[in-house]
Amino acid sequence: MAEAIVELRGANIQQGGRNILENVDLRIAPGEFVYLVGKTGAGKSSLLKTLYAALPLGGGSATVAGFNLAKTGRKKIPQLRRKLGIVFQDFNLLMDRSVEENLRFALRATGWKKGTLAEQRIDEVLMAVGLADRRRSMPHTLSGGERQRIAFARALLNSPTLFIADEVTGNLDPDTSKNILELMRKLGKEHGTAVLFATHDYRLLDTFQARVVRCEGGRVFNAEG
Amino acid sequence: MPSPRPNQLYVIFSLSLVLFLLGLVGLWTFQASYLTRQLQENLDIIVELEVDHTKEQRELLLLELLAADYHQPGSTPEYLPKEQALQEMGEDLERDLDDLGLNNPLLDVITFNVPIVYLQSDSLAAIASELQVKPGVAGVFYQDNFVDRIAANARRLGWVLLGLAALFALVAGLLIHNTVRLSLYANRFTIKTQELVGASWGFISRPYLWRAVGQGLLAGLIALTGVLGLQVWLQSVLPELDLFAEPVRLGFLYGGILLLGLLINFVSHYVVVRRYLRLRLDDLY
C-alpha cells in the first residue's frame, strides 16, 4: 500500500479549545479524490484547517504530506503548505494585482526567483485551468468561475500533493460548480494530486463517483460514493 | 508586498509630528540646561579690598585667583576701582553722585567666576574663608540663596522635562502604533494569503519592515527640518538664546530624533505584522 497523503488516527479536531470532531480516522491515498460532506457547522472547515495547520491538532495522530502535525512547529508550517494547494470559497485573490501578478507573488512567496522558469510555470498553470488568455486581466474583470480557476492555478504552482478545497463552489451557479469540480478531478488525475473536496451541497456528489467522507454529530464517517 | 496607500502618508505625517514635538522637548531640555549653566557660571564672587590695600597685594591676589582650582577657566578676575564703581552706580541710578558731595562709600573690588562644581554653599563658604584671610581683603560676598535656588530649580526643571519627554515618548509610541495598526489593517488578507500559499513569516514581514525603516527615516528628516528651521528662526529673533552653542549635544539630539523615529516605526510594524500573522483566518473578518 502506497504511503498515504493524509493519515489521521484517533484525531481530535478542535476550535477554540473545544472538540468539534472526535476520534477521527481518515486516510487519503496519493491521487485519490475524496468528497468531504456535512451540514454547515459540522466541522468540515475545522478538519481542513487542522490539515493545513491553521488549527492545532487536539489529540491523536495526524500526518499530512509527510509532516507529523503534532510535531510540526511554526517554522515548518510554510514547508507543509507548499505541498498543499489550498482553495477557498472566497478565492483569496489580491484584487489590486493582475492574474499574472497574483501568481508571480505566490511564486516569490514560496521561494521562486524571478525569471524564465517562473514565467513558464505561470503559463503552464494558466493553461491547465484554461485561462491562458487572461494572464494580464485584473481579478475584478473575471467571472466567479474564472476567479476560482485562477485560485486553482495558484494552488497548482508548487505541484502540490494534496488539494484542499473548502466550499469552493459556494459562490458559483450549479453549472459552473460542476465545471469546477470536473476541473479539480482532471487536475488531480493529470498531476497525481489527491483532492479533498469539502461541500455542503450533496447534489454535487452526482457529478462523478468518488469516496465520500461525512462529518456528522461530532464524528467522521467513511463511505464509498 | 505592500502597495503605497494614503495610510502610509498618515503614518509619516503622525510620526513626523510626534518626532518634531519630541525634538522641541529635547531642544528645550538642552537649552534650559545650557542657560542654567551659563547663569551659574556667570555668578560673580565679589572680593572687597581694604581701603588701604596696596597695589602689590591686589596684583598678587589677582594672580592667585587666576591660578586657583576654583577659578572658572577661560574667564579673568576683574578689578573694579571704587571710583569706577561709583560712576557705574550713578549711571544705573541716572544721577551724578559726585554732586551730593559725599565721600565714596564703596570699596575697590575684584570679581571672578567659579566652575559649576564649586557652586555649592559649602564649597563657596570654603573659598570665602580662604580668601578672607589674605592680606588686603576686607570681605567676600556672593548670593548664597541665589546659587541654591538656581541649583534647585535646575534640578527640578530637569526632572520635569525628563518626565515630560518620557510621557511624550510613550504617547508617541501608542499613537504611532495605532496609526500603523490601521495602516496595516488593509493588508491583513494579503498577509494571510501569503501565509496560506506557504510564505514564511520572515518573507511576509520583510517588505513591511523595510517600509517601516524608510518611513521612519523620512519622518525623522521631516521632523529634523522642522526643528532646525525653528531653531534658525528663533536664533535670528532672539540671538541671546545662543541656540547653536553646543553642536555636539545638538548632534546627539538630531541623531536621537532620527533613531527614535526609525525605532518606534520599526517596532510598531513588527508587532502589528506579527499580530496579524498569529491571527486565525476567521478572526480577520
Side-chain angles (χ1 to χ4, degrees):
Chain A
M1 192 163 56
E3 196 184 336
I5 295 297
V6 174
E7 180 91 64
L8 267 60
R9 285 168 192 251
N12 289 339
I13 307 302
Q14 292 187 334
Q15 177 104 4
R18 192 171 59 90
N19 274 357
I20 302 290
L21 297 169
E22 288 179 339
N23 204 21
V24 178
D25 290 324
L26 177 64
R27 186 176 195 283
I28 299 176
E32 188 182 11
F33 191 104
V34 177
Y35 288 111
L36 177 66
V37 295
K39 289 179 188 166
T40 304
K44 304 186 295 294
S45 286
S46 299
L47 174 60
L48 298 185
K49 283 175 184 167
T50 306
L51 296 183
Y52 58 79
L55 284 177
L57 183 67
S61 71
T63 306
V64 177
F67 286 82
N68 180 345
L69 293 188
K71 290 181 181 167
T72 303
R74 184 180 65 71
K75 288 190 174 165
K76 291 271 180 193
I77 290 174
Q79 291 172 34
L80 162 68
R81 289 184 182 159
R82 287 174 200 187
K83 294 200 165 190
L84 307 177
I86 308 165
V87 194
F88 300 94
Q89 179 177 340
D90 51 3
F91 321 118
N92 279 108
L93 296 178
L94 304 172
M95 301 304 279
D96 59 346
R97 289 153 217 230
S98 68
V99 166
E100 64 178 353
E101 282 166 344
N102 262 278
L103 299 176
R104 212 174 279 139
F105 177 67
L107 281 178
R108 287 197 50 223
T110 50
W112 287 62
K113 301 273 178 249
K114 282 181 192 169
T116 321
L117 273 181
E119 297 307 312
Q120 203 176 313
R121 186 64 188 148
I122 292 172
D123 283 335
E124 284 167 9
V125 294
L126 284 177
M127 206 143 4
V129 299
L131 287 177
D133 57 334
R134 307 309 297 266
R135 190 176 164 130
R136 289 190 171 78
S137 303
M138 294 300 284
H140 69 269
T141 66
L142 305 176
S143 68
E146 285 174 326
R147 284 188 214 175
Q148 198 56 284
R149 282 168 184 261
I150 299 300
F152 285 136
R154 188 179 63 192
L156 261 181
L157 284 169
N158 285 304
S159 307
T161 51
L162 172 68
F163 267 132
I164 292 179
D166 191 0
E167 299 281 6
V168 290
T169 57
N171 284 335
L172 306 175
D173 62 71
D175 284 344
T176 312
S177 297
K178 289 197 172 176
N179 288 340
I180 288 289
L181 194 51
E182 289 287 5
L183 174 69
M184 287 217 77
R185 184 168 73 154
K186 178 176 150 271
L187 292 176
K189 273 187 180 167
E190 284 174 5
H191 298 85
T193 307
V195 181
L196 183 55
F197 186 91
T199 181
H200 64 272
D201 185 356
Y202 283 78
R203 288 170 303 180
L204 285 174
L205 272 57
D206 296 333
T207 312
F208 54 81
Q209 286 260 310
R211 183 153 69 96
V212 179
V213 171
R214 188 160 46 88
C215 294
E216 197 176 291
R219 305 294 295 246
V220 170
F221 302 94
N222 283 282
E224 290 305 314
Chain B
M1 201 168 65
S3 54
R5 286 174 201 284
N7 279 336
Q8 292 186 37
L9 296 180
Y10 297 148
V11 172
I12 294 170
F13 176 73
S14 311
L15 192 58
S16 309
L17 191 67
V18 163
L19 290 174
F20 174 70
L21 292 174
L22 273 174
L24 287 192
V25 171
L27 197 63
W28 171 255
T29 310
F30 280 3
Q31 200 55 27
S33 103
Y34 171 71
L35 289 178
T36 308
R37 225 168 36 248
Q38 288 293 100
L39 207 57
Q40 288 175 322
E41 283 173 359
N42 289 330
L43 181 82
D44 284 338
I45 312 288
I46 301 162
V47 181
E48 277 186 344
L49 302 176
E50 288 171 342
V51 181
D52 54 354
H53 75 274
T54 63
K55 190 183 173 197
E56 288 72 28
Q57 285 173 332
R58 187 175 73 221
E59 282 176 354
L60 181 65
L61 187 60
L62 282 168
L63 283 174
E64 281 176 349
L65 281 176
L66 208 54
D69 288 343
Y70 51 76
H71 173 255
Q72 170 73 34
S75 70
T76 317
E78 270 185 51
Y79 167 63
L80 185 68
K82 61 182 181 183
E83 295 75 20
Q84 192 186 333
L86 188 70
Q87 192 188 338
E88 284 178 9
M89 189 191 257
E91 281 168 12
D92 286 346
L93 297 172
E94 294 178 356
R95 287 189 67 172
D96 190 351
L97 297 175
D98 288 337
D99 288 353
L100 296 174
L102 298 171
N103 285 333
N104 185 348
L106 303 175
L107 293 170
D108 292 343
V109 294
I110 292 174
T111 59
F112 69 99
N113 304 124
V114 294
I116 287 174
V117 285
Y118 288 96
L119 283 175
Q120 311 291 333
S121 289
D122 48 352
S123 305
L124 289 172
I127 294 169
S129 326
E130 186 188 317
L131 290 174
Q132 235 146 10
V133 295
K134 292 201 183 284
V137 173
V140 179
F141 304 94
Y142 53 88
Q143 284 180 284
D144 196 10
N145 287 344
F146 182 64
V147 170
D148 285 343
R149 231 175 26 246
I150 288 178
N153 283 339
R155 267 198 305 277
R156 208 170 299 140
L157 187 66
W159 284 114
V160 168
L161 288 176
L162 195 69
L164 201 65
L167 186 72
F168 233 87
L170 183 73
V171 172
L174 291 175
L175 190 73
I176 296 304
H177 181 72
N178 212 32
T179 313
V180 169
R181 201 168 57 82
L182 286 175
S183 158
L184 289 188
Y185 183 74
N187 291 107
R188 67 199 189 286
F189 286 109
T190 311
I191 290 173
K192 223 59 199 168
T193 302
Q194 290 185 75
E195 222 187 333
L196 288 175
V197 297
S200 65
W201 282 20
F203 177 89
I204 299 168
S205 310
R206 212 169 298 136
Y208 295 101
L209 297 181
W210 276 118
R211 188 172 81 183
V213 170
Q215 283 177 344
L217 281 176
L218 186 61
L221 286 173
I222 293 172
L224 268 189
T225 309
V227 171
L228 207 61
L230 190 72
Q231 256 182 296
V232 170
W233 177 72
L234 274 176
Q235 184 63 31
S236 68
V237 181
L238 297 165
E240 60 272 23
L241 282 177
D242 214 0
L243 284 167
F244 293 96
E246 296 180 296
V248 176
R249 291 184 98 189
L250 278 179
F252 277 113
L253 177 70
Y254 298 157
I257 290 175
L258 278 179
L259 198 68
L260 199 66
L262 205 144
L263 206 68
I264 291 178
N265 209 33
F266 185 88
V267 171
S268 287
H269 273 78
Y270 181 84
V271 170
V272 175
V273 172
R274 289 276 149 161
R275 185 170 165 268
Y276 284 128
L277 284 170
R278 280 198 197 94
L279 274 185
R280 291 203 309 260
L281 195 61
D282 298 341
D283 298 330
L284 291 182
Y285 292 93

Short mmCIF file of all heavy atoms in Angstrom, two decimals, chain A residues 28 33-37 44-45 47-49 51-52 84-90 148 151-152 155 162-170 180-181 183-185 193-200 204:
data_model
loop_
_atom_site.label_atom_id
_atom_site.label_comp_id
_atom_site.label_asym_id
_atom_site.label_seq_id
_atom_site.Cartn_x
_atom_site.Cartn_y
_atom_site.Cartn_z
N ILE A 28 -6.10 9.19 3.07
CA ILE A 28 -6.26 9.56 1.66
C ILE A 28 -5.00 9.15 0.92
O ILE A 28 -3.88 9.53 1.31
CB ILE A 28 -6.52 11.08 1.50
CG1 ILE A 28 -7.80 11.49 2.24
CG2 ILE A 28 -6.62 11.46 0.02
CD1 ILE A 28 -8.09 12.98 2.21
N PHE A 33 -9.45 11.08 -5.06
CA PHE A 33 -10.42 12.18 -4.94
C PHE A 33 -11.41 11.81 -3.83
O PHE A 33 -11.99 10.74 -3.85
CB PHE A 33 -11.17 12.40 -6.26
CG PHE A 33 -11.99 13.67 -6.27
CD1 PHE A 33 -11.55 14.79 -6.96
CD2 PHE A 33 -13.19 13.75 -5.58
CE1 PHE A 33 -12.29 15.97 -6.97
CE2 PHE A 33 -13.94 14.93 -5.58
CZ PHE A 33 -13.49 16.04 -6.28
N VAL A 34 -11.58 12.68 -2.87
CA VAL A 34 -12.47 12.40 -1.73
C VAL A 34 -13.41 13.59 -1.53
O VAL A 34 -12.96 14.74 -1.47
CB VAL A 34 -11.66 12.16 -0.43
CG1 VAL A 34 -12.59 11.95 0.76
CG2 VAL A 34 -10.72 10.99 -0.59
N TYR A 35 -14.71 13.27 -1.46
CA TYR A 35 -15.69 14.31 -1.10
C TYR A 35 -15.75 14.37 0.42
O TYR A 35 -15.82 13.32 1.08
CB TYR A 35 -17.09 13.94 -1.58
CG TYR A 35 -17.32 14.02 -3.07
CD1 TYR A 35 -17.52 12.86 -3.81
CD2 TYR A 35 -17.43 15.24 -3.71
CE1 TYR A 35 -17.80 12.91 -5.17
CE2 TYR A 35 -17.70 15.30 -5.08
CZ TYR A 35 -17.88 14.15 -5.80
OH TYR A 35 -18.15 14.21 -7.13
N LEU A 36 -15.75 15.59 0.98
CA LEU A 36 -15.96 15.75 2.43
C LEU A 36 -17.28 16.50 2.58
O LEU A 36 -17.37 17.67 2.19
CB LEU A 36 -14.81 16.55 3.05
CG LEU A 36 -14.91 16.86 4.54
CD1 LEU A 36 -14.84 15.58 5.38
CD2 LEU A 36 -13.79 17.81 4.97
N VAL A 37 -18.29 15.81 3.09
CA VAL A 37 -19.62 16.44 3.14
C VAL A 37 -20.10 16.58 4.58
O VAL A 37 -19.56 15.95 5.50
CB VAL A 37 -20.66 15.65 2.32
CG1 VAL A 37 -20.32 15.65 0.84
CG2 VAL A 37 -20.79 14.23 2.84
N LYS A 44 -16.38 20.52 8.91
CA LYS A 44 -15.56 20.29 7.70
C LYS A 44 -14.39 21.28 7.64
O LYS A 44 -13.24 20.87 7.46
CB LYS A 44 -16.41 20.47 6.42
CG LYS A 44 -17.64 19.60 6.33
CD LYS A 44 -18.32 19.75 4.99
CE LYS A 44 -18.87 21.14 4.73
NZ LYS A 44 -20.00 21.53 5.62
N SER A 45 -14.72 22.55 7.80
CA SER A 45 -13.66 23.57 7.70
C SER A 45 -12.62 23.40 8.79
O SER A 45 -11.42 23.57 8.56
CB SER A 45 -14.26 24.98 7.78
OG SER A 45 -14.90 25.28 6.58
N LEU A 47 -11.77 20.63 10.20
CA LEU A 47 -10.93 19.49 9.83
C LEU A 47 -9.87 19.93 8.79
O LEU A 47 -8.68 19.61 8.93
CB LEU A 47 -11.81 18.36 9.26
CG LEU A 47 -11.08 17.15 8.68
CD1 LEU A 47 -10.20 16.47 9.73
CD2 LEU A 47 -12.08 16.13 8.12
N LEU A 48 -10.32 20.67 7.78
CA LEU A 48 -9.38 21.12 6.75
C LEU A 48 -8.31 22.05 7.33
O LEU A 48 -7.13 21.93 7.01
CB LEU A 48 -10.14 21.84 5.62
CG LEU A 48 -11.18 21.00 4.85
CD1 LEU A 48 -11.76 21.81 3.70
CD2 LEU A 48 -10.56 19.72 4.31
N LYS A 49 -8.76 22.94 8.22
CA LYS A 49 -7.79 23.88 8.82
C LYS A 49 -6.75 23.12 9.65
O LYS A 49 -5.58 23.53 9.70
CB LYS A 49 -8.51 24.90 9.72
CG LYS A 49 -9.19 25.99 8.92
CD LYS A 49 -10.00 26.90 9.81
CE LYS A 49 -10.76 27.91 8.98
NZ LYS A 49 -11.78 28.60 9.76
N LEU A 51 -5.72 20.20 8.89
CA LEU A 51 -4.82 19.56 7.93
C LEU A 51 -3.76 20.53 7.40
O LEU A 51 -2.63 20.14 7.16
CB LEU A 51 -5.61 18.98 6.74
CG LEU A 51 -6.59 17.84 7.07
CD1 LEU A 51 -7.24 17.31 5.78
CD2 LEU A 51 -5.87 16.69 7.78
N TYR A 52 -4.14 21.83 7.24
CA TYR A 52 -3.10 22.76 6.78
C TYR A 52 -2.54 23.61 7.93
O TYR A 52 -1.92 24.65 7.73
CB TYR A 52 -3.54 23.62 5.59
CG TYR A 52 -4.77 24.50 5.72
CD1 TYR A 52 -4.71 25.71 6.37
CD2 TYR A 52 -5.98 24.13 5.14
CE1 TYR A 52 -5.82 26.54 6.44
CE2 TYR A 52 -7.09 24.95 5.21
CZ TYR A 52 -7.01 26.15 5.87
OH TYR A 52 -8.11 26.97 5.95
N LEU A 84 0.76 21.69 -0.25
CA LEU A 84 -0.70 21.65 -0.35
C LEU A 84 -1.17 22.74 -1.30
O LEU A 84 -0.53 23.79 -1.41
CB LEU A 84 -1.33 21.90 1.03
CG LEU A 84 -0.84 21.02 2.19
CD1 LEU A 84 -1.52 21.47 3.48
CD2 LEU A 84 -1.13 19.57 1.91
N GLY A 85 -2.28 22.50 -1.95
CA GLY A 85 -2.92 23.54 -2.73
C GLY A 85 -4.23 23.86 -2.04
O GLY A 85 -5.14 23.04 -2.03
N ILE A 86 -4.28 25.03 -1.41
CA ILE A 86 -5.47 25.36 -0.61
C ILE A 86 -6.34 26.35 -1.40
O ILE A 86 -5.85 27.39 -1.86
CB ILE A 86 -5.07 25.98 0.74
CG1 ILE A 86 -4.05 25.07 1.45
CG2 ILE A 86 -6.28 26.19 1.63
CD1 ILE A 86 -3.32 25.74 2.60
N VAL A 87 -7.61 26.01 -1.56
CA VAL A 87 -8.52 26.89 -2.30
C VAL A 87 -9.77 27.11 -1.45
O VAL A 87 -10.28 26.17 -0.83
CB VAL A 87 -8.93 26.28 -3.66
CG1 VAL A 87 -9.58 27.34 -4.53
CG2 VAL A 87 -7.73 25.70 -4.38
N PHE A 88 -10.23 28.36 -1.43
CA PHE A 88 -11.38 28.72 -0.59
C PHE A 88 -12.57 29.17 -1.43
O PHE A 88 -12.42 29.47 -2.61
CB PHE A 88 -11.03 29.90 0.33
CG PHE A 88 -9.90 29.62 1.26
CD1 PHE A 88 -8.62 29.97 0.92
CD2 PHE A 88 -10.14 28.99 2.46
CE1 PHE A 88 -7.58 29.71 1.77
CE2 PHE A 88 -9.10 28.73 3.32
CZ PHE A 88 -7.82 29.09 2.98
N GLN A 89 -13.69 29.29 -0.71
CA GLN A 89 -14.90 29.79 -1.35
C GLN A 89 -14.70 31.22 -1.89
O GLN A 89 -15.13 31.55 -2.97
CB GLN A 89 -16.02 29.79 -0.31
CG GLN A 89 -17.34 30.31 -0.81
CD GLN A 89 -18.41 30.21 0.27
OE1 GLN A 89 -18.27 29.45 1.22
NE2 GLN A 89 -19.47 30.95 0.11
N ASP A 90 -14.02 32.04 -1.08
CA ASP A 90 -13.91 33.46 -1.47
C ASP A 90 -12.60 33.77 -2.21
O ASP A 90 -12.09 34.87 -2.15
CB ASP A 90 -14.10 34.38 -0.26
CG ASP A 90 -13.20 34.00 0.89
OD1 ASP A 90 -12.39 33.06 0.72
OD2 ASP A 90 -13.30 34.63 1.95
N GLN A 148 -12.21 31.53 -9.53
CA GLN A 148 -11.93 30.29 -8.81
C GLN A 148 -10.88 29.48 -9.56
O GLN A 148 -10.02 28.85 -8.94
CB GLN A 148 -13.24 29.50 -8.64
CG GLN A 148 -13.21 28.44 -7.57
CD GLN A 148 -12.83 28.98 -6.20
OE1 GLN A 148 -11.67 29.25 -5.94
NE2 GLN A 148 -13.80 29.10 -5.32
N ALA A 151 -7.63 30.82 -8.71
CA ALA A 151 -7.22 30.34 -7.38
C ALA A 151 -6.66 28.92 -7.49
O ALA A 151 -5.68 28.58 -6.81
CB ALA A 151 -8.41 30.38 -6.42
N PHE A 152 -7.26 28.08 -8.36
CA PHE A 152 -6.72 26.73 -8.58
C PHE A 152 -5.33 26.80 -9.21
O PHE A 152 -4.43 26.05 -8.85
CB PHE A 152 -7.64 25.92 -9.50
CG PHE A 152 -8.88 25.44 -8.82
CD1 PHE A 152 -10.11 25.54 -9.43
CD2 PHE A 152 -8.81 24.88 -7.55
CE1 PHE A 152 -11.26 25.11 -8.80
CE2 PHE A 152 -9.96 24.43 -6.91
CZ PHE A 152 -11.19 24.55 -7.54
N ALA A 155 -2.94 27.51 -6.66
CA ALA A 155 -2.72 26.33 -5.80
C ALA A 155 -1.83 25.30 -6.50
O ALA A 155 -1.13 24.52 -5.85
CB ALA A 155 -4.06 25.72 -5.42
N LEU A 162 -1.52 17.45 -2.38
CA LEU A 162 -2.93 17.41 -1.95
C LEU A 162 -3.60 18.76 -2.20
O LEU A 162 -3.06 19.81 -1.82
CB LEU A 162 -2.98 17.10 -0.44
CG LEU A 162 -4.34 17.20 0.25
CD1 LEU A 162 -5.30 16.10 -0.25
CD2 LEU A 162 -4.21 17.13 1.76
N PHE A 163 -4.77 18.70 -2.86
CA PHE A 163 -5.61 19.90 -2.99
C PHE A 163 -6.60 19.90 -1.85
O PHE A 163 -7.26 18.89 -1.60
CB PHE A 163 -6.44 19.82 -4.28
CG PHE A 163 -5.82 20.46 -5.47
CD1 PHE A 163 -5.77 19.80 -6.68
CD2 PHE A 163 -5.32 21.76 -5.40
CE1 PHE A 163 -5.21 20.39 -7.80
CE2 PHE A 163 -4.76 22.35 -6.52
CZ PHE A 163 -4.70 21.67 -7.71
N ILE A 164 -6.69 21.01 -1.15
CA ILE A 164 -7.71 21.14 -0.11
C ILE A 164 -8.69 22.20 -0.61
O ILE A 164 -8.30 23.37 -0.77
CB ILE A 164 -7.09 21.53 1.23
CG1 ILE A 164 -6.24 20.38 1.76
CG2 ILE A 164 -8.17 21.92 2.23
CD1 ILE A 164 -5.55 20.66 3.08
N ALA A 165 -9.92 21.79 -0.91
CA ALA A 165 -10.90 22.73 -1.45
C ALA A 165 -12.02 22.90 -0.44
O ALA A 165 -12.73 21.95 -0.12
CB ALA A 165 -11.44 22.18 -2.77
N ASP A 166 -12.12 24.13 0.11
CA ASP A 166 -13.10 24.39 1.17
C ASP A 166 -14.28 25.16 0.60
O ASP A 166 -14.21 26.38 0.42
CB ASP A 166 -12.42 25.18 2.29
CG ASP A 166 -13.28 25.24 3.53
OD1 ASP A 166 -14.40 24.68 3.53
OD2 ASP A 166 -12.84 25.84 4.53
N GLU A 167 -15.36 24.44 0.31
CA GLU A 167 -16.59 25.06 -0.21
C GLU A 167 -16.29 25.96 -1.42
O GLU A 167 -16.80 27.07 -1.51
CB GLU A 167 -17.30 25.89 0.88
CG GLU A 167 -17.73 25.11 2.10
CD GLU A 167 -19.01 24.31 1.90
OE1 GLU A 167 -19.51 24.27 0.75
OE2 GLU A 167 -19.49 23.71 2.87
N VAL A 168 -15.48 25.47 -2.32
CA VAL A 168 -15.04 26.33 -3.42
C VAL A 168 -16.15 26.68 -4.39
O VAL A 168 -16.01 27.62 -5.19
CB VAL A 168 -13.86 25.69 -4.20
CG1 VAL A 168 -12.60 25.67 -3.37
CG2 VAL A 168 -14.22 24.30 -4.68
N THR A 169 -17.25 25.94 -4.34
CA THR A 169 -18.34 26.23 -5.29
C THR A 169 -19.46 27.01 -4.62
O THR A 169 -20.50 27.25 -5.23
CB THR A 169 -18.91 24.92 -5.87
OG1 THR A 169 -19.34 24.10 -4.77
CG2 THR A 169 -17.87 24.17 -6.66
N GLY A 170 -19.24 27.41 -3.40
CA GLY A 170 -20.29 28.07 -2.60
C GLY A 170 -20.85 29.31 -3.25
O GLY A 170 -22.03 29.63 -3.07
N ILE A 180 -16.14 23.33 -12.23
CA ILE A 180 -15.01 23.47 -11.30
C ILE A 180 -14.64 22.10 -10.71
O ILE A 180 -13.46 21.74 -10.61
CB ILE A 180 -15.38 24.47 -10.16
CG1 ILE A 180 -15.40 25.90 -10.70
CG2 ILE A 180 -14.43 24.36 -8.97
CD1 ILE A 180 -14.04 26.48 -11.05
N LEU A 181 -15.68 21.35 -10.37
CA LEU A 181 -15.46 20.03 -9.79
C LEU A 181 -14.74 19.12 -10.79
O LEU A 181 -13.77 18.41 -10.46
CB LEU A 181 -16.82 19.44 -9.40
CG LEU A 181 -16.84 18.24 -8.49
CD1 LEU A 181 -16.01 18.47 -7.25
CD2 LEU A 181 -18.29 17.93 -8.07
N LEU A 183 -12.90 20.11 -13.21
CA LEU A 183 -11.54 20.63 -13.37
C LEU A 183 -10.64 20.09 -12.25
O LEU A 183 -9.50 19.67 -12.50
CB LEU A 183 -11.55 22.17 -13.33
CG LEU A 183 -10.19 22.85 -13.35
CD1 LEU A 183 -9.50 22.65 -14.69
CD2 LEU A 183 -10.31 24.33 -13.05
N MET A 184 -11.16 20.07 -11.05
CA MET A 184 -10.36 19.58 -9.92
C MET A 184 -9.99 18.12 -10.12
O MET A 184 -8.85 17.71 -9.87
CB MET A 184 -11.15 19.72 -8.61
CG MET A 184 -11.27 21.13 -8.15
SD MET A 184 -11.18 21.27 -6.37
CE MET A 184 -9.45 21.09 -6.10
N ARG A 185 -10.99 17.34 -10.58
CA ARG A 185 -10.69 15.91 -10.79
C ARG A 185 -9.64 15.74 -11.89
O ARG A 185 -8.70 14.96 -11.76
CB ARG A 185 -11.96 15.15 -11.15
CG ARG A 185 -11.66 13.64 -11.26
CD ARG A 185 -12.89 12.83 -11.33
NE ARG A 185 -13.55 12.97 -12.62
CZ ARG A 185 -14.35 12.03 -13.15
NH1 ARG A 185 -14.58 10.92 -12.47
NH2 ARG A 185 -14.92 12.21 -14.31
N THR A 193 -2.33 14.47 -8.02
CA THR A 193 -2.59 15.17 -6.75
C THR A 193 -3.89 14.65 -6.13
O THR A 193 -4.91 14.55 -6.81
CB THR A 193 -2.74 16.69 -7.04
OG1 THR A 193 -1.60 17.12 -7.77
CG2 THR A 193 -2.87 17.48 -5.76
N ALA A 194 -3.82 14.33 -4.85
CA ALA A 194 -5.04 13.93 -4.14
C ALA A 194 -5.91 15.16 -3.95
O ALA A 194 -5.40 16.29 -3.89
CB ALA A 194 -4.68 13.32 -2.80
N VAL A 195 -7.22 14.97 -3.87
CA VAL A 195 -8.14 16.10 -3.69
C VAL A 195 -9.08 15.81 -2.53
O VAL A 195 -9.69 14.73 -2.47
CB VAL A 195 -8.98 16.35 -4.97
CG1 VAL A 195 -9.92 17.54 -4.76
CG2 VAL A 195 -8.10 16.58 -6.18
N LEU A 196 -9.17 16.75 -1.61
CA LEU A 196 -10.17 16.65 -0.54
C LEU A 196 -11.13 17.81 -0.77
O LEU A 196 -10.77 18.98 -0.57
CB LEU A 196 -9.49 16.74 0.83
CG LEU A 196 -10.39 16.57 2.05
CD1 LEU A 196 -11.18 15.26 2.00
CD2 LEU A 196 -9.58 16.61 3.34
N PHE A 197 -12.31 17.47 -1.23
CA PHE A 197 -13.26 18.47 -1.71
C PHE A 197 -14.42 18.60 -0.71
O PHE A 197 -15.28 17.74 -0.63
CB PHE A 197 -13.77 18.03 -3.09
CG PHE A 197 -14.64 19.03 -3.78
CD1 PHE A 197 -14.10 19.98 -4.64
CD2 PHE A 197 -16.02 19.04 -3.59
CE1 PHE A 197 -14.91 20.90 -5.28
CE2 PHE A 197 -16.83 19.97 -4.23
CZ PHE A 197 -16.28 20.90 -5.08
N ALA A 198 -14.41 19.69 0.08
CA ALA A 198 -15.45 19.86 1.10
C ALA A 198 -16.63 20.63 0.53
O ALA A 198 -16.45 21.66 -0.13
CB ALA A 198 -14.86 20.61 2.30
N THR A 199 -17.83 20.11 0.76
CA THR A 199 -19.03 20.83 0.31
C THR A 199 -20.23 20.44 1.19
O THR A 199 -20.25 19.37 1.78
CB THR A 199 -19.35 20.52 -1.17
OG1 THR A 199 -20.51 21.25 -1.56
CG2 THR A 199 -19.59 19.04 -1.41
N HIS A 200 -21.19 21.37 1.27
CA HIS A 200 -22.43 21.01 1.97
C HIS A 200 -23.53 20.74 0.93
O HIS A 200 -24.65 20.42 1.27
CB HIS A 200 -22.86 22.14 2.92
CG HIS A 200 -23.21 23.41 2.22
ND1 HIS A 200 -22.27 24.38 1.92
CD2 HIS A 200 -24.39 23.87 1.73
CE1 HIS A 200 -22.85 25.37 1.29
NE2 HIS A 200 -24.15 25.10 1.16
N LEU A 204 -23.76 17.92 -5.68
CA LEU A 204 -22.50 17.85 -6.42
C LEU A 204 -21.93 16.43 -6.45
O LEU A 204 -21.14 16.09 -7.33
CB LEU A 204 -21.47 18.80 -5.81
CG LEU A 204 -21.66 20.29 -6.08
CD1 LEU A 204 -20.65 21.11 -5.30
CD2 LEU A 204 -21.51 20.57 -7.58
#
